[in-house]
């Protein structure tokens, strides 16, 4: 199971908003978002991912 973790950083370009996908069991970060200009834009991206995840195929393994 994974969870979304949201956070913000103050950069030279102003405040930026991010999210991470984190494995619940061991807190491993498996993905981090691009920088968003607002929390609303970041939260919209999370909603889109959650919606699309129901239709996604999961393929486990490694790539060579």
């Amino acid at each position: 199971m994974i969870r979304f973790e949201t956070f913000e950083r103050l950069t030279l370009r102003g405040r930026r908003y991010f999210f991470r996908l984190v494995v619940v069991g061991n807190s491993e970060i498996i993905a981090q978002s691009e920088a968003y200009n607002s929390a609303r834009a970041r939260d919209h991206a999370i909603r889109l991912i959650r919606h699309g995840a129901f239709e996604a195929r999961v393929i486990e393994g490694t790539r060579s």
Side-chain angles (χ1 to χ4, degrees):
M1 184 175 279
I2 61 171
R3 73 175 187 269
F4 285 89
E5 212 174 68
T6 61
F7 62 100
E8 57 189 74
R9 288 189 182 143
L10 187 57
T11 69
L12 294 175
R13 295 183 178 198
R15 191 166 302 279
R16 298 292 185 245
Y17 301 84
F18 302 84
F19 67 85
R20 293 181 182 135
L21 288 174
V22 179
V23 177
V24 171
N26 62 8
S27 298
E28 178 185 2
I29 298 169
I30 57 174
Q32 182 169 309
S33 73
E34 62 184 350
Y36 293 91
N37 292 327
S38 69
R40 184 177 180 173
R42 176 202 58 206
D43 295 345
H44 178 70
I46 291 171
R47 283 192 300 277
L48 290 174
I49 292 167
R50 284 184 171 150
H51 177 73
F54 289 110
E55 301 170 7
R57 286 185 359 181
V58 176
I59 301 172
E60 295 188 30
T62 58
R63 297 180 89 179
S64 301

